[in-house]
Amino acid sequence: MDDRISRDDAAMLTAFAWALRSSCRYYLVGCAILSADYELIGQGYNGTPHGMPNCIDANCAKRRGNRCEGLHGERNAIYHVHDRQKLVKATLYTSLQPCVECSLFAVQVGLGRIVAGGRYLRQSVGDDDRVDDIEQAMSVLERAGIQFDWYQPESQYAIDQTAHFMQYRAMVLAGRADSPEL
């Protein structure tokens, strides 16, 4: 009997762990990328670019009525891949479904599969009226031939850890969204 967790479970739990590094007030997004030969080649989370104040530490751009200044976890994960050739047919695991722009980026770098742990629901804050059309994001992936799967934990350990992450994420984000500006 093989008592190891599956690759999908291991990679998604890695994405959940990276999501806990997020500095966004509204989303905790973490990503892990496995090459076609199952090597962990990239990881990332959503937050502001290097050298800029984090949204949870300073005045969030969205709260000031501007467009978000954070980078999405998918882009950060792809950015941190050192050998770009390993992205071809790789699998990106993300704690939250990718938006249109991240889907287009996935197409551009040649990903073969995306596995998402949760559904993306745009939160409108300030005058940010740009609403990502998730159906369009899914259409982009389908037209490009990128396989999309909703994450289904296979082991009891992964089921428990996924439930714990989802509960923790809801608690953290409720506290961040309601906190006053610094």
Side-chain angles (χ1 to χ4, degrees), residues 61-62 65-70 101 122 127-128 130:
K62 286 177 77 170
N66 297 320
R67 186 173 172 171
C68 175
E69 295 175 349
E101 286 127 1
R122 169 69 80 181
D127 62 5
D128 182 3
R130 185 179 67 96

Side-chain angles (χ1 to χ4, degrees), residues 9-27:
D9 283 349
M12 187 59 75
L13 294 177
T14 301
F16 290 161
W18 279 103
L20 300 177
R21 293 279 310 140
S22 170
S23 60
C24 179
R25 288 179 174 269
Y26 303 103
Y27 298 104

Side-chain angles (χ1 to χ4, degrees), residues 100-111:
V100 173
E101 286 127 1
C102 288
S103 295
L104 290 167
F105 203 57
V107 171
Q108 184 67 21
V109 300
L111 293 180

Side-chain angles (χ1 to χ4, degrees), residues 18-63:
W18 279 103
L20 300 177
R21 293 279 310 140
S22 170
S23 60
C24 179
R25 288 179 174 269
Y26 303 103
Y27 298 104
L28 293 182
V29 180
C31 297
I33 303 174
L34 293 185
S35 69
D37 60 354
Y38 308 111
E39 176 187 357
L40 180 63
I41 58 171
Q43 60 278 327
Y45 55 91
N46 61 325
T48 53
H50 293 290
M52 293 182 66
N54 291 321
C55 293
I56 57 173
D57 297 332
N59 193 13
C60 173
K62 286 177 77 170
R63 289 214 168 172

Side-chain angles (χ1 to χ4, degrees), residues 132-151:
D132 286 324
D133 184 343
I134 295 309
E135 290 188 18
Q136 182 182 0
M138 299 300 285
S139 173
V140 164
L141 298 175
E142 182 179 339
R143 287 182 284 135
I146 296 177
Q147 179 182 340
F148 179 87
D149 295 311
W150 292 108
Y151 174 59

